[in-house]
Amino acid sequence: MGERLDRALDLIGDGSLALVQRSWWMRRWFAPMTSAVLVVLAFVAVLRMEASAADYDPQYMRVLVERTMAYGGSYYENGIHNKGPLEPAVYELAARLGGDGGFWFVIGVFTLLVSVCVGVASAVFAIRAGASIALGAAVAAMSVAHLTLSNADYSGVLYARNMTVALLSVGFVVAAHDAAWATRRRRIAAVATVGIATGLAVQTLFTACFTAIPVLIWAMWTRRRDRAWRWPAWIEMPTVSAVGLLSAPAYYAASGSWRPFVDGWWVYARWMSSGTGRSLGNQIGLGWDSLFDFYRERPALAGLVQVWLIVTALRWRQLDGAARALRLLAACWFAGAWIELVLSQRYSSHYFVVIAVPTMMMISTLVGDVGRRWPTDSKRWPVIALLPLLVTFATLKAGGLGPFAAGVDAASTITSIDDLVARRDATTEGHTNVVAASLDLVSVGGDPLLMWTSYPWPYLDYDRVSATRYIWKSFLLGEIYLGRSGPEYVLPGTWTRFAADLDRTDPTAFVVDAVTPVEPDTPFAARVEEDFEEVFDDGTVSLSYRNDIARWLSTPSASSQPFDLGPSTVVLAEAGCRRIDAVLDPRDLTGGPLVAEFGHASAGSQAASLSISSSADGVIITRSNRTGATGYARSSTVGSDPLAVSIIAGARSAVVVVDGEILGAVLVEPGSEVVLHDDAGALSEASRSTLPAFTGC
């Protein structure tokens, strides 16, 4: 049966290549054209990933590392993190390389590199199974395209599991590459690389041991006759792997950050498992159901796995020891990936990258089985150079062209990273802009902000770091992701450390969304009630200032000086940084709105503005940004009685305060002059004062 299969593969290989050969003109530009187009596609992929990389957990990781960079200490002292330190270290590197604007662009580049690691491993699988280098390159192109430009949720993101599969791919490639073992110095580097890669994978995620062990055992068997240091490589590699696994515990024990590290890496990771409340039998049952549902939705993938099993079984007797070991590795890697998912007990769509990678290795061995019969003479068959490009486009078509189209759109329209940032900011919701501008009145980007939230993006939207290590409320309430909740899942000493963090950072503001109100009868609620006063609430989000700042906001300065508004249009301040307190009669607004503009007279651009007009409900505050686009309108039912109004223009933003409540806010350029248009004469009893230092003035 195996000989018949070999003859069938011969016919497939010779016939299909001959067909391709007759359909293309043979030209020397095949290889250069393929290389150039793949480079362009890589650029498109990075731009697509610049947007897709900002997923849920990656945003949390950015918040964590930005807090670490702001306050120092370890990652585990700045947030609850149940994985190894590799993931935050990578994100910190991205923050330092890319800064605020280029952060996600750098993450996109890192994601591409991770995908290339997997792609190279796929190519090595195919080549060791019998494929030519050209076919190996085609397999690599398929893997990279799938992991960067497909519709799969694990595509174009940099989660911890994307990192672990890349580490295992690196370990496999180094163990398989004979040149890496040619000299003693190279063998030392190779043993260190394989050991550290597998050890770090398990350190990053405990459940990754089920995929790391097959890779490590295969490397030990393949290099059993090599010797790097004193002992054979099959002894040295697991030793180095154990050192890599234990490096983080040893470091944090020596650095004095042992307790926070253990709380996150060990205790909270254990709770993530036990918090589901499932027995081992229930976990296995759920895993079986998930496996069945996964392949029922992907019948073509199920067919590929079955074909691989059949071909491997039929050819097993004809394979030598190395070929058998390679296929055993693919099978064990695949089985270990499913065990990893079963024991993690969570089947979020991005977790399935651990299944996708060994599946790619299975496909690679099938390509090797067919590719052994394909001609490899590139001079005689120059069309072979086009295979990686053809396979890439076929993969994009099969995986959905949406991500590719998004990347092409970004590549065809952007001019700089700043342009990307500006486009993202343009889609920000109006109330988010108002809160951000209100925060900029009393603090600067990177300052601490106290929040009660279940999401990471508010910190990034407001350009602030968490005032405490408890970035999400779930850590204070003992809410386990997709599991149970209760005080038994709150780490010991949590509220003591929470209070200490607040005393240290002393945030000027507190923000909470309406969908996640503060839990009453908690130390958090008591602290907020004691230290903060609400100054903005539109039913969607609430902003509170620290008590001393809230009092300043609602109370005119004792040193304010009365002044005559004079004409309907008056320059209140040529360099911003002024507070205007006055009495507003809403009935006079029927003659026209009151408009405060903040800009540079010589700039020739539209100034930011805040407009106060009347309506049946009271007054309406409308804000406009510097491009003239209306951003957000807010109404307040105040009746027709005179109102105490303050227009406060700081160095970074300006706000309109009515009876102690912020009704509108807008970002301003430094040094903007403040021009007031009061055509209806709605203001009276005006006074003017300077601003305190926290406003940037």
Side-chain angles (χ1 to χ4, degrees):
M1 185 67 180
E3 294 178 356
R4 294 180 182 177
L5 178 63
D6 284 344
R7 288 197 297 271
L9 292 175
D10 285 335
L11 293 175
I12 294 174
D14 294 340
S16 57
L17 185 60
L19 178 63
V20 173
Q21 178 66 22
R22 287 196 299 268
S23 64
W24 288 91
W25 292 348
M26 291 179 289
R27 297 288 188 269
R28 291 184 176 180
W29 45 259
F30 282 167
M33 183 184 72
T34 295
S35 301
V37 174
L38 290 178
V39 169
V40 172
L41 289 176
F43 178 68
V44 169
V46 169
L47 291 180
R48 178 259 171 162
M49 292 185 292
E50 191 274 339
S52 64
D55 213 332
Y56 198 97
D57 283 3
Q59 289 192 51
Y60 175 83
M61 196 53 54
R62 179 175 179 177
V63 174
L64 187 152
V65 301
E66 287 183 349
R67 187 175 197 278
T68 304
M69 293 167 63
Y71 295 113
S74 71
Y75 302 124
Y76 301 90
E77 292 173 309
N78 285 280
I80 307 302
H81 179 54
N82 63 309
K83 305 181 184 74
L86 175 65
E87 185 181 13
V90 170
Y91 275 78
E92 181 175 347
L93 179 61
R96 296 190 181 280
L97 292 177
D100 182 59
F103 180 90
W104 295 115
F105 183 83
V106 176
I107 291 295
V109 173
F110 287 173
T111 306
L112 177 63
L113 294 176
V114 162
S115 304
V116 169
C117 290
V118 176
V120 172
S122 301
V124 172
F125 251 95
I127 292 170
R128 289 182 72 90
S132 65
I133 293 177
L135 277 178
V139 170
M142 174 200 70
S143 301
V144 174
H146 179 69
L147 291 176
T148 58
L149 286 172
S150 76
N151 278 324
D153 286 344
Y154 52 74
S155 170
V157 293
L158 193 60
Y159 279 75
R161 285 170 176 79
N162 297 73
M163 296 181 187
T164 58
V165 296
L167 286 170
L168 298 182
S169 297
V170 169
F172 165 76
V173 170
V174 171
H177 190 45
D178 291 334
W181 303 81
T183 65
R184 184 174 183 272
R185 180 175 296 180
R186 291 184 181 180
R187 287 193 294 273
I188 291 174
V191 166
T193 301
V194 174
I196 292 174
T198 52
L200 283 183
V202 179
Q203 182 192 100
T204 301
L205 282 169
F206 287 132
T207 52
C209 66
F210 296 101
T211 49
I213 289 174
V215 174
L216 182 59
I217 291 177
W218 180 86
M220 292 164 58
W221 184 86
T222 301
R223 297 300 169 184
R224 61 192 180 278
R225 296 185 179 88
D226 290 302
R227 185 185 297 267
W229 289 290
R230 182 177 179 181
W231 303 99
W234 67 269
I235 296 178
E236 294 170 339
M237 279 190 283
T239 302
V240 175
S241 183
V243 171
L245 169 62
L246 298 175
S247 59
Y251 171 80
Y252 289 109
S255 66
S257 184
W258 174 252
R259 188 69 257 169
F261 169 73
V262 170
D263 282 345
W265 187 68
W266 180 257
V267 177
Y268 208 84
R270 179 163 48 85
W271 287 350
M272 289 288 288
S273 177
S274 63
T276 62
R278 298 189 188 96
S279 66
L280 180 59
N282 288 336
Q283 293 176 34
I284 295 174
L286 177 62
W288 176 258
D289 292 340
S290 300
L291 184 151
F292 180 79
D293 291 340
F294 181 81
Y295 288 112
R296 182 179 60 183
E297 296 171 3
R298 301 165 179 83
L301 196 60
L304 280 172
V305 174
Q306 293 175 35
V307 168
W308 182 87
L309 289 171
I310 293 171
V311 171
T312 300
L314 292 176
R315 299 197 63 242
W316 187 257
R317 291 180 177 275
Q318 300 169 0
L319 300 176
D320 58 20
R324 290 180 178 181
L326 186 70
R327 285 157 178 80
L328 279 175
L329 170 59
C332 293
W333 194 339
F334 180 81
W338 273 108
I339 295 174
E340 180 177 345
L341 280 182
V342 168
L343 295 184
S344 71
Q345 305 182 59
R346 291 163 179 86
Y347 298 89
S348 300
S349 53
H350 61 273
Y351 283 24
F352 283 92
V353 69
V354 300
I355 300 297
V357 170
T359 302
M360 293 174 188
M361 306 312 169
M362 290 178 164
I363 295 173
S364 297
T365 58
L366 286 177
V367 171
D369 288 331
V370 176
R372 289 181 302 110
R373 279 82 180 173
W374 281 43
T376 59
D377 186 355
S378 59
K379 293 182 178 180
R380 182 182 177 189
W381 302 91
V383 73
I384 291 176
L386 286 175
L387 283 177
L389 188 58
L390 296 175
V391 169
T392 297
F393 284 116
T395 303
L396 295 180
K397 178 65 176 177
L401 294 176
F404 173 70
V408 170
D409 179 66
S412 63
T413 55
I414 69 155
T415 57
S416 65
I417 291 178
D418 290 339
D419 183 34
L420 283 173
V421 175
R423 292 187 185 195
R424 190 183 301 115
D425 291 344
T427 63
T428 305
E429 294 178 304
H431 65 263
T432 300
N433 287 324
V434 171
V435 173
S438 300
L439 288 171
D440 275 6
L441 180 68
V442 298
S443 60
V444 298
D447 275 358
L449 174 65
L450 182 62
M451 290 201 68
W452 180 269
T453 183
S454 297
Y455 310 108
W457 45 82
Y459 297 101
L460 304 181
D461 289 341
Y462 302 137
D463 189 23
R464 298 298 188 271
V465 300
S466 176
T468 77
R469 71 192 68 190
Y470 306 100
I471 297 169
W472 289 341
K473 69 180 182 67
S474 58
F475 304 124
L476 297 171
L477 298 179
E479 298 171 339
I480 300 300
Y481 172 58
L482 297 180
R484 295 178 293 193
S485 300
E488 65 271 25
Y489 298 114
V490 177
L491 292 167
T494 287
W495 290 112
T496 300
R497 287 190 288 269
F498 168 79
D501 285 347
L502 274 187
D503 291 339
R504 177 189 180 192
T505 59
D506 192 23
T508 59
F510 161 66
V511 174
V512 60
D513 290 329
V515 294
T516 54
V518 176
E519 194 76 16
D521 301 324
T522 61
F524 190 104
R527 189 65 181 261
V528 169
E529 178 69 23
E530 179 182 355
D531 291 352
F532 296 92
E533 182 178 339
E534 186 178 285
V535 296
F536 174 84
D537 184 0
D538 69 345
T540 302
V541 62
S542 170
L543 167 68
S544 299
Y545 282 163
R546 199 175 59 206
N547 288 335
D548 58 322
I549 297 178
R551 285 192 297 270
W552 163 81
L553 186 75
S554 60
T555 306
S557 173
S559 60
S560 61
Q561 299 295 320
F563 77 103
D564 185 8
L565 287 173
S568 60
T569 299
V570 59
V571 177
L572 301 180
E574 294 183 353
C577 288
R578 287 293 186 274
R579 172 173 180 151
I580 309 301
D581 297 296
V583 174
L584 171 69
D585 191 337
R587 293 170 296 185
D588 291 336
L589 292 176
T590 57
L594 171 69
V595 180
E597 288 188 348
F598 314 92
H600 295 282
S602 60
S605 61
Q606 174 70 40
S609 67
L610 290 165
S611 174
I612 308 176
S613 57
S614 65
S615 74
D617 296 327
V619 298
I620 294 179
I621 308 295
T622 305
R623 62 184 300 278
S624 298
N625 60 26
R626 285 185 292 272
T627 62
T630 299
Y632 179 74
R634 170 96 189 284
S635 64
S636 177
T637 305
V638 295
S640 58
D641 294 333
L643 306 171
V645 174
S646 299
I647 300 172
I648 305 174
R652 301 172 293 267
S653 67
V655 302
V656 169
V657 182
V658 176
D659 286 343
E661 180 186 4
I662 294 176
L663 292 190
V666 67
L667 297 175
V668 301
E669 295 180 353
S672 299
E673 68 178 16
V674 184
V675 180
L676 187 64
H677 304 275
D678 185 17
D679 296 334
L683 291 181
S684 61
E685 302 179 28
S687 62
R688 177 167 49 189
S689 60
T690 57
L691 300 182
F694 58 73
T695 60
C697 299

